[in-house]
Amino acid sequence: MKTEVIEGIAVVVISRPEALNALNTRFFNEMDDYVNKIKNDSSIKALVITGEGKAFVAGADIAEMVDKTSEEGSAFSVLGQHTFSSFGELGIPVIAAINGFALGGGLELAMGCDFRITSSKAKFGQPEVSLGLIPGYAGTQRLSRLVGLGDALYLLMSADMIGAEDALRIGLVQKVVEPEELMDAVMKLAKTITSKGPSAIKKVKQVVRQGLEMSLKEGEELEAKEFGSLFGVGNEGKEGMEAFLEKRKPNW
Ligand code: CAA
């Protein structure tokens, strides 16, 4: 994979186009190292993940998986689950810029991100059953949470590939743009988000994600606590509200 930082926005390009960016152990190790590197770097305000060539990612590397034992298969599943969960734990927005095929592990990678912007030419699917497999990087869990039971089971059982407009319709992606506009649109959106209160962005992500695992009552309690934490002298909400009332830009 290739990485660069553009005005505080880290961009990861998954770069094995000859294998349609299929995910192997080396990728997961590199991605984990990169996430650990940016985790405590306050100059990094957002992470964008995209793919090189005609695919975003066409799935887990079938050539690496084919000879694995049952135990090794489970370990390869846990490896990917861990990496994709780590995106949710980062205190910055993580955006998938889907440039082409997002299949199997590739769609699971995209679903581990906070949200997804796609090229109108991209294709989406969970084709694992065609290989006699099921998704192993939390696709059986995240897909139904994102799109609901019916659309998830349809995609998982049919192995059907859907286009960008259908992905938008079921809520799998949040925005469709023309292929040549993808990176500009994603970078512009990342800049908009990073112009907001950084603690508010971090907390909105944390409260929404943790809330998904809680009862409504527990989620409300967490929200009230974190809402309050932004008030008071020296805190971001105080500055944001004062700036609004004084008709000036906030100093985060
Ligand atoms: N793993 C390993 N290699 C892959 C791959 C994958 N997931 N997907 C594509 N490749 C390789 C192909 O083998 C081919 O290599 P060679 O040139 O050496 O033959 C190269 O990438 C180009 O692919 P195609 O020639 O097949 O390209 P195409 O344009 O004709 O077809 C495609 C594109 C429809 C995406 C097709 O490549 C395809 O069906 N790929 C597999 C998709 C898939 O089944 N993904 C799920 C994997 S399992 C998984 O992800 C499990 C999990 O959840 C953990």
Side-chain angles (χ1 to χ4, degrees), residues 106-138:
L107 184 52
E108 294 172 289
L109 187 162
M111 291 193 291
C113 297
D114 292 324
F115 55 86
R116 289 145 290 283
I117 311 297
T118 186
S119 147
S120 58
K121 297 268 160 57
K123 299 268 183 237
F124 303 80
Q126 296 285 172
E128 285 87 348
V129 291
S130 301
L131 300 167
L133 296 174
I134 65 169
Y137 302 150

Short mmCIF file of all heavy atoms in Angstrom, two decimals, residues 106-138:
data_model
loop_
_atom_site.label_atom_id
_atom_site.label_comp_id
_atom_site.label_asym_id
_atom_site.label_seq_id
_atom_site.Cartn_x
_atom_site.Cartn_y
_atom_site.Cartn_z
N GLY A 106 -13.22 -6.63 0.30
CA GLY A 106 -13.14 -5.22 -0.11
C GLY A 106 -14.35 -4.43 0.36
O GLY A 106 -14.22 -3.30 0.84
N LEU A 107 -15.51 -5.05 0.25
CA LEU A 107 -16.71 -4.39 0.77
C LEU A 107 -16.67 -4.36 2.30
O LEU A 107 -17.07 -3.38 2.93
CB LEU A 107 -17.97 -5.11 0.26
CG LEU A 107 -19.31 -4.48 0.65
CD1 LEU A 107 -19.37 -3.00 0.30
CD2 LEU A 107 -20.46 -5.21 -0.02
N GLU A 108 -16.11 -5.40 2.88
CA GLU A 108 -15.98 -5.44 4.35
C GLU A 108 -15.04 -4.34 4.83
O GLU A 108 -15.28 -3.71 5.86
CB GLU A 108 -15.49 -6.82 4.79
CG GLU A 108 -16.52 -7.91 4.49
CD GLU A 108 -15.98 -9.29 4.73
OE1 GLU A 108 -15.12 -9.75 3.95
OE2 GLU A 108 -16.41 -9.93 5.71
N LEU A 109 -13.97 -4.09 4.07
CA LEU A 109 -13.06 -3.00 4.42
C LEU A 109 -13.83 -1.67 4.36
O LEU A 109 -13.78 -0.86 5.30
CB LEU A 109 -11.89 -2.97 3.44
CG LEU A 109 -10.73 -2.01 3.71
CD1 LEU A 109 -9.50 -2.43 2.91
CD2 LEU A 109 -11.03 -0.56 3.41
N ALA A 110 -14.58 -1.48 3.27
CA ALA A 110 -15.34 -0.23 3.11
C ALA A 110 -16.35 -0.07 4.25
O ALA A 110 -16.56 1.04 4.75
CB ALA A 110 -16.04 -0.22 1.76
N MET A 111 -16.98 -1.18 4.65
CA MET A 111 -17.98 -1.10 5.72
C MET A 111 -17.35 -0.82 7.09
O MET A 111 -18.02 -0.34 8.00
CB MET A 111 -18.81 -2.39 5.77
CG MET A 111 -19.72 -2.54 4.57
SD MET A 111 -20.96 -3.84 4.76
CE MET A 111 -19.97 -5.32 4.73
N GLY A 112 -16.06 -1.13 7.24
CA GLY A 112 -15.36 -0.81 8.49
C GLY A 112 -15.08 0.68 8.60
O GLY A 112 -14.82 1.19 9.70
N CYS A 113 -15.11 1.38 7.46
CA CYS A 113 -14.89 2.84 7.46
C CYS A 113 -16.14 3.53 8.01
O CYS A 113 -17.21 2.92 8.13
CB CYS A 113 -14.59 3.33 6.04
SG CYS A 113 -13.07 2.63 5.35
N ASP A 114 -16.02 4.83 8.29
CA ASP A 114 -17.17 5.54 8.88
C ASP A 114 -18.27 5.75 7.84
O ASP A 114 -19.45 5.66 8.16
CB ASP A 114 -16.72 6.87 9.48
CG ASP A 114 -15.84 6.65 10.69
OD1 ASP A 114 -16.11 5.68 11.42
OD2 ASP A 114 -14.88 7.41 10.88
N PHE A 115 -17.90 6.06 6.61
CA PHE A 115 -18.87 6.10 5.52
C PHE A 115 -18.15 5.96 4.19
O PHE A 115 -16.92 5.93 4.14
CB PHE A 115 -19.77 7.36 5.58
CG PHE A 115 -19.03 8.66 5.62
CD1 PHE A 115 -18.62 9.27 4.45
CD2 PHE A 115 -18.73 9.27 6.82
CE1 PHE A 115 -17.94 10.47 4.47
CE2 PHE A 115 -18.05 10.48 6.86
CZ PHE A 115 -17.65 11.08 5.67
N ARG A 116 -18.95 5.86 3.12
CA ARG A 116 -18.43 5.47 1.82
C ARG A 116 -18.88 6.41 0.71
O ARG A 116 -20.10 6.66 0.60
CB ARG A 116 -18.93 4.04 1.49
CG ARG A 116 -18.28 2.97 2.35
CD ARG A 116 -19.21 1.82 2.68
NE ARG A 116 -20.26 2.23 3.61
CZ ARG A 116 -20.08 2.41 4.92
NH1 ARG A 116 -18.94 2.17 5.47
NH2 ARG A 116 -21.07 2.84 5.70
N ILE A 117 -17.93 6.93 -0.06
CA ILE A 117 -18.23 7.72 -1.25
C ILE A 117 -17.74 6.87 -2.43
O ILE A 117 -16.64 6.31 -2.39
CB ILE A 117 -17.45 9.07 -1.25
CG1 ILE A 117 -17.63 9.79 0.10
CG2 ILE A 117 -17.89 9.94 -2.42
CD1 ILE A 117 -19.02 10.18 0.45
N THR A 118 -18.56 6.79 -3.47
CA THR A 118 -18.20 5.86 -4.54
C THR A 118 -18.23 6.49 -5.93
O THR A 118 -19.02 7.40 -6.19
CB THR A 118 -19.14 4.63 -4.53
OG1 THR A 118 -18.67 3.70 -5.51
CG2 THR A 118 -20.58 5.00 -4.88
N SER A 119 -17.40 5.95 -6.79
CA SER A 119 -17.47 6.23 -8.22
C SER A 119 -18.75 5.58 -8.75
O SER A 119 -19.14 4.50 -8.29
CB SER A 119 -16.24 5.60 -8.89
OG SER A 119 -16.57 5.16 -10.18
N SER A 120 -19.35 6.23 -9.73
CA SER A 120 -20.58 5.68 -10.33
C SER A 120 -20.31 4.36 -11.04
O SER A 120 -21.23 3.61 -11.34
CB SER A 120 -21.17 6.70 -11.31
OG SER A 120 -20.21 7.01 -12.31
N LYS A 121 -19.02 4.06 -11.29
CA LYS A 121 -18.68 2.83 -12.03
C LYS A 121 -18.40 1.64 -11.10
O LYS A 121 -18.16 0.54 -11.57
CB LYS A 121 -17.43 3.08 -12.89
CG LYS A 121 -17.62 4.13 -13.97
CD LYS A 121 -18.06 3.48 -15.28
CE LYS A 121 -18.72 4.43 -16.25
NZ LYS A 121 -17.93 5.57 -16.64
N ALA A 122 -18.36 1.87 -9.79
CA ALA A 122 -17.97 0.79 -8.87
C ALA A 122 -19.04 -0.30 -8.80
O ALA A 122 -20.22 -0.06 -9.11
CB ALA A 122 -17.72 1.36 -7.48
N LYS A 123 -18.60 -1.49 -8.40
CA LYS A 123 -19.52 -2.62 -8.22
C LYS A 123 -19.32 -3.18 -6.82
O LYS A 123 -18.18 -3.25 -6.32
CB LYS A 123 -19.20 -3.73 -9.23
CG LYS A 123 -19.35 -3.31 -10.67
CD LYS A 123 -20.74 -3.61 -11.17
CE LYS A 123 -20.92 -3.27 -12.63
NZ LYS A 123 -22.00 -2.34 -12.88
N PHE A 124 -20.42 -3.63 -6.22
CA PHE A 124 -20.42 -4.06 -4.83
C PHE A 124 -20.99 -5.47 -4.71
O PHE A 124 -21.97 -5.78 -5.38
CB PHE A 124 -21.30 -3.12 -4.00
CG PHE A 124 -20.87 -1.69 -4.08
CD1 PHE A 124 -21.22 -0.91 -5.17
CD2 PHE A 124 -20.08 -1.13 -3.09
CE1 PHE A 124 -20.81 0.41 -5.27
CE2 PHE A 124 -19.66 0.19 -3.18
CZ PHE A 124 -20.02 0.96 -4.27
N GLY A 125 -20.42 -6.26 -3.82
CA GLY A 125 -21.01 -7.57 -3.60
C GLY A 125 -20.27 -8.36 -2.54
O GLY A 125 -19.15 -8.03 -2.14
N GLN A 126 -20.94 -9.40 -2.06
CA GLN A 126 -20.32 -10.36 -1.13
C GLN A 126 -20.40 -11.72 -1.81
O GLN A 126 -21.32 -12.50 -1.57
CB GLN A 126 -21.08 -10.38 0.21
CG GLN A 126 -21.04 -9.09 0.99
CD GLN A 126 -19.73 -8.77 1.70
OE1 GLN A 126 -19.57 -7.70 2.22
NE2 GLN A 126 -18.77 -9.69 1.73
N PRO A 127 -19.41 -12.01 -2.69
CA PRO A 127 -19.50 -13.24 -3.50
C PRO A 127 -18.96 -14.49 -2.81
O PRO A 127 -18.79 -15.53 -3.48
CB PRO A 127 -18.64 -12.88 -4.72
CG PRO A 127 -17.63 -11.93 -4.20
CD PRO A 127 -18.25 -11.19 -3.05
N GLU A 128 -18.75 -14.45 -1.49
CA GLU A 128 -18.06 -15.57 -0.83
C GLU A 128 -18.75 -16.91 -1.06
O GLU A 128 -18.08 -17.94 -1.20
CB GLU A 128 -17.93 -15.29 0.68
CG GLU A 128 -16.86 -14.26 1.03
CD GLU A 128 -17.34 -12.83 1.00
OE1 GLU A 128 -18.45 -12.57 0.47
OE2 GLU A 128 -16.62 -11.95 1.50
N VAL A 129 -20.11 -16.93 -1.08
CA VAL A 129 -20.78 -18.24 -1.22
C VAL A 129 -20.45 -18.89 -2.56
O VAL A 129 -20.52 -20.12 -2.68
CB VAL A 129 -22.32 -18.16 -1.01
CG1 VAL A 129 -22.66 -17.85 0.45
CG2 VAL A 129 -22.98 -17.15 -1.95
N SER A 130 -20.06 -18.08 -3.56
CA SER A 130 -19.64 -18.67 -4.85
C SER A 130 -18.37 -19.49 -4.69
O SER A 130 -18.07 -20.36 -5.50
CB SER A 130 -19.38 -17.58 -5.89
OG SER A 130 -20.52 -16.80 -6.09
N LEU A 131 -17.60 -19.17 -3.64
CA LEU A 131 -16.36 -19.91 -3.35
C LEU A 131 -16.60 -20.98 -2.28
O LEU A 131 -15.65 -21.60 -1.80
CB LEU A 131 -15.28 -18.94 -2.85
CG LEU A 131 -14.86 -17.79 -3.79
CD1 LEU A 131 -14.05 -16.76 -3.03
CD2 LEU A 131 -14.06 -18.33 -4.97
N GLY A 132 -17.86 -21.12 -1.86
CA GLY A 132 -18.15 -22.06 -0.77
C GLY A 132 -17.74 -21.50 0.58
O GLY A 132 -17.50 -22.25 1.53
N LEU A 133 -17.65 -20.17 0.67
CA LEU A 133 -17.24 -19.52 1.92
C LEU A 133 -18.34 -18.58 2.41
O LEU A 133 -19.32 -18.34 1.70
CB LEU A 133 -15.96 -18.69 1.69
CG LEU A 133 -14.70 -19.44 1.28
CD1 LEU A 133 -13.58 -18.45 0.96
CD2 LEU A 133 -14.25 -20.39 2.41
N ILE A 134 -18.13 -18.03 3.60
CA ILE A 134 -18.93 -16.89 4.07
C ILE A 134 -17.95 -15.75 4.29
O ILE A 134 -16.73 -15.98 4.37
CB ILE A 134 -19.72 -17.20 5.37
CG1 ILE A 134 -18.78 -17.46 6.57
CG2 ILE A 134 -20.67 -18.39 5.15
CD1 ILE A 134 -19.53 -17.50 7.92
N PRO A 135 -18.42 -14.50 4.38
CA PRO A 135 -17.51 -13.40 4.68
C PRO A 135 -16.78 -13.65 6.00
O PRO A 135 -17.36 -14.23 6.93
CB PRO A 135 -18.43 -12.18 4.79
CG PRO A 135 -19.62 -12.54 3.97
CD PRO A 135 -19.80 -14.02 4.18
N GLY A 136 -15.53 -13.19 6.08
CA GLY A 136 -14.76 -13.42 7.29
C GLY A 136 -14.27 -12.16 7.97
O GLY A 136 -13.67 -12.23 9.05
N TYR A 137 -14.51 -11.00 7.35
CA TYR A 137 -14.03 -9.75 7.97
C TYR A 137 -15.20 -8.90 8.45
O TYR A 137 -15.28 -7.71 8.20
CB TYR A 137 -13.17 -8.95 6.97
CG TYR A 137 -11.97 -9.69 6.41
CD1 TYR A 137 -11.50 -9.41 5.13
CD2 TYR A 137 -11.29 -10.64 7.16
CE1 TYR A 137 -10.40 -10.07 4.61
CE2 TYR A 137 -10.19 -11.32 6.63
CZ TYR A 137 -9.75 -11.02 5.36
OH TYR A 137 -8.66 -11.68 4.84
N ALA A 138 -16.14 -9.58 9.12
CA ALA A 138 -17.32 -8.95 9.76
C ALA A 138 -18.41 -8.55 8.76
O ALA A 138 -19.33 -7.84 9.13
CB ALA A 138 -16.92 -7.76 10.63
#
